[in-house]
Amino acid sequence: MSLLGRAGLDLRSWAKSLRIAKQIILICIAGIVLALLGLRILGTSTDTYIAIALYRSISSDTLVPLIYGIATVGDLIWVPLVFWLYVFRKDSNEWTGSLILAVAIVTAMSLTDVLKAVPSLGIVARGEIPTNPGFPSGHTTNAFTVATVIWSRYSAWRAPFVLLAIATGVSMIILGLHFPSDVIGGAFLGIFCGTFVLGLAKLRSSN
């Protein structure tokens, strides 16, 4: 057994995983492109208008810690989830769920970093009018990645995690950290990553 042995490589399943859910994958890719081109590049005034409207919807700074809290939970909820499913649950299906979630998040973080290498407008923190956020929103990507995995494997928890993902994206705009285009792009990227890894896991388990 070798960690780097060629005999153990399984790159074909990547393509198969993409083909299994090609409709969702294509919708996600189209959503990311439209968010970047339609809002960030071509519709900058609309993107800015919505961002400033949401930013100014919170007039009291007393709510800012709560909004930061929502954004932080949405970004990092995967950490206790992975630990809980792997360490405390005895069902092998939940052990598998922890692995799927961990791999999906690593995929999401990697793709977010790649996309953020594209020239962006920067980031402005709460306290100033948001004019320079980066594409896509990493917090939103993580939250929607988790929501996608939960949606597929734990139907009873769908609503809370979808609501948390949406609230995370909106919070990032209110905090002045991202434009709507960043959040929309992050949402589609998260769904893409979750769907891809879920398909990959299904293929691997059937072999």
Side-chain angles (χ1 to χ4, degrees):
M1 183 177 294
S2 172
L3 181 65
L4 300 175
R6 291 181 61 186
L9 290 176
D10 181 24
L11 301 181
R12 290 182 179 179
S13 58
W14 290 25
K16 289 181 180 178
S17 176
L18 293 172
R19 286 200 301 268
I20 286 174
K22 62 181 179 181
Q23 289 183 329
I24 296 175
I25 297 296
L26 288 174
I27 289 171
C28 289
I29 293 173
I32 293 168
V33 172
L34 287 174
L36 182 58
L37 294 179
L39 278 177
R40 169 53 70 85
I41 297 174
L42 300 177
T44 304
S45 59
T46 302
D47 207 17
T48 303
Y49 176 82
I50 297 171
I52 292 175
L54 282 172
Y55 181 82
R56 290 175 174 169
S57 67
I58 301 298
S59 58
S60 173
D61 287 341
T62 58
L63 292 176
V64 171
L66 174 62
I67 297 169
Y68 264 116
I70 292 171
T72 301
V73 170
D75 182 37
L76 298 176
I77 189 67
W78 65 272
V79 177
L81 271 177
V82 168
F83 193 80
W84 169 258
L85 291 173
Y86 192 83
V87 175
F88 290 105
R89 305 298 291 174
K90 62 181 180 180
D91 190 333
S92 60
N93 180 63
E94 296 188 343
W95 297 347
T96 305
S98 70
L99 178 61
I100 291 171
L101 188 54
V103 173
I105 285 292
V106 170
T107 304
M109 289 179 171
S110 300
L111 289 179
T112 298
D113 286 343
V114 168
L115 288 173
K116 280 186 179 292
V118 175
S120 64
L121 301 178
I123 291 181
V124 174
R126 179 78 185 172
E128 302 176 41
I129 294 177
T131 54
N132 299 318
F135 184 95
S137 164
H139 284 66
T140 308
T141 301
N142 288 352
F144 272 89
T145 300
V146 173
T148 302
V149 174
I150 295 296
W151 183 280
S152 175
R153 298 181 67 88
Y154 304 96
S155 57
W157 289 90
R158 286 176 176 175
F161 279 88
V162 169
L163 289 174
L164 176 60
I166 294 171
T168 299
V170 174
S171 295
M172 297 307 290
I173 301 172
I174 293 174
L175 291 171
L177 295 171
H178 284 286
F179 282 127
S181 56
D182 305 322
V183 169
I184 293 170
F188 279 113
L189 181 60
I191 295 170
F192 172 92
C193 294
T195 301
F196 168 70
V197 175
L198 284 164
L200 196 61
K202 186 178 294 186
L203 286 170
R204 296 280 169 83
S205 63
S206 63
N207 291 337

